[in-house]
Amino acid sequence: MTLIDNAVYKDGVRVATPASLDEAYALQEAHAGFAWIGLYRPSDEELASVATEFELHPLAIEDAALGHQRSKVERYGDTLFVVLRPARYDDEREELDIGELHLFVGPDFVITIRHAESPDLGAVRRRLEQQPELLALGSEAVLYAVLDRVVDEYEPLVAGIENDIDEIEDDLFGDADDDALSRRIYELSGELNRFARATHPLVPIIEWLQRGHDAYHVDIELQRRLRDVRDHALRVTERIDGFRAVLDKALIVHSALVSRRQTEVNLAQNEQVKKISSWAAIIFAPTLIGTVYGMNFDVMPELHWEYGYPVALGVMVAFPTVLYLIFKRRRWL
């Protein structure tokens, strides 16, 4: 059974807790209050039941059944269809868990359909039931409270992402593995983009609701509370945009640092190659002469020359000395 909680409210007080959808329909009409039906991944039969009872638009029901909708708000007559994308952050895995919540809000009913564990609508319901003066304002009060809860659950998520960015900034100039750091920056950027797609439509949604306050005679207290939710949502989206800019810069800085370190390594290797090559050339000259005159042939130039030995030794000393001075002058040694 996907019916999580089911209640009928009158003047801000729960007057009935129906055990089934049909009972909820009957008691809502009997008490002339409004019903709040909470569903979790409902079946097609349950969706068809509430659609028939409350005359929900087929397009909205189709969206609710299929899921995977973007955050949005649509009006079908006196009924609002709202899609929200609540989110939680797993700090250990550095991954976002983005859920989906659908609301049908009419004059005498609210239907909430969750497709994930978040948000905790039970906490929203308990909070409202402790504020009968707010709940007495009707189904719009439930919509406000759910919006407020979704935005509030973004706050720890934002704090978790901020902590990860601080760690990345520390690792940038530390001894972190370059490949691992690049991967971490890239993956966190992807998570932020997903988060932005979930949160950025919220501000336009709330502003759209605010524009309809006068036309649909929404209580002034709910208007004030909705403005407060909008401010919180705007702060969240601005921080997300700031995080995205920081990560973009971090990736650029990291790439520059990796390139600089690679250049330094290449230069150091070039210096070593120069030194090795220089000494190889210096050693090669006397080795060549000694090798030639150590072959013991009878017929060789200057083999029986009186000055052949000292000249050979002189050349063996002079040639590497000249090479040494040349390499030293060119700073190869």
Side-chain angles (χ1 to χ4, degrees), residues 90-112:
D90 188 327
D91 188 64
E92 182 177 347
R93 294 184 297 126
E94 294 187 6
E95 290 183 3
L96 286 177
D97 180 16
I98 298 180
E100 190 168 345
L101 174 65
H102 299 167
L103 296 94
F104 291 93
V105 182
D108 54 3
F109 67 91
V110 176
I111 302 167
T112 54

Side-chain angles (χ1 to χ4, degrees), residues 117-295:
E117 299 304 318
S118 179
D120 184 359
L121 295 182
V124 176
R125 194 185 290 262
R126 289 190 296 272
R127 173 189 167 195
L128 279 174
E129 289 178 350
Q130 293 171 0
Q131 298 176 286
E133 71 286 352
L134 180 60
L135 193 53
L137 299 177
S139 56
E140 291 87 354
V142 177
L143 175 58
Y144 147 73
V146 172
L147 282 167
D148 187 46
R149 179 71 183 192
V150 170
V151 174
D152 284 346
E153 288 190 358
Y154 289 151
E155 293 292 342
L157 194 154
V158 170
I161 293 176
E162 184 175 27
N163 180 67
D164 290 334
I165 291 177
D166 289 341
E167 292 177 357
I168 287 173
E169 289 178 331
D170 292 338
D171 290 341
L172 271 178
F173 301 97
D175 299 325
D177 178 77
D178 288 335
D179 290 341
L181 184 56
S182 295
R183 183 182 183 87
R184 186 179 187 188
I185 295 173
Y186 180 79
E187 290 180 348
L188 190 56
S189 295
E191 294 298 295
L192 267 177
N193 288 334
R194 290 179 59 218
F195 192 23
R197 287 194 294 271
T199 58
H200 276 62
L202 264 181
V203 173
I205 286 174
I206 296 173
E207 290 174 346
W208 188 91
L209 292 172
Q210 289 176 314
R211 288 194 294 271
H213 282 165
D214 293 336
Y216 292 92
H217 310 293
V218 177
D219 186 86
I220 187 64
E221 179 61 22
L222 283 180
Q223 295 183 36
R224 296 191 185 106
R225 290 175 179 263
L226 202 58
R227 279 200 305 269
D228 182 64
V229 176
R230 177 192 174 277
D231 291 342
H232 291 174
L234 187 60
R235 184 168 63 247
V236 168
T237 57
E238 288 175 346
R239 293 186 70 186
I240 292 172
D241 290 339
F243 292 158
R244 295 167 76 184
V246 169
L247 283 180
D248 287 342
K249 292 178 181 178
L251 194 58
I252 294 173
V253 170
H254 180 57
S255 298
L257 291 174
V258 170
S259 298
R260 189 186 73 179
R261 284 195 288 267
Q262 187 62 46
T263 300
E264 291 173 352
V265 170
N266 291 337
L267 290 174
Q269 290 176 342
N270 289 338
E271 291 300 318
Q272 295 299 322
V273 170
K274 288 179 181 179
K275 290 180 180 180
I276 294 171
S277 301
S278 299
W279 285 113
I282 291 171
I283 295 172
F284 173 75
T287 301
L288 176 62
I289 297 172
T291 301
V292 170
Y293 282 91
M295 290 189 291

Side-chain angles (χ1 to χ4, degrees), residues 289 302-318:
I289 297 172
E302 294 83 28
L303 184 62
H304 301 288
W305 184 36
E306 179 182 359
Y307 301 106
Y309 180 68
V311 169
L313 288 178
V315 172
M316 293 171 69
V317 172

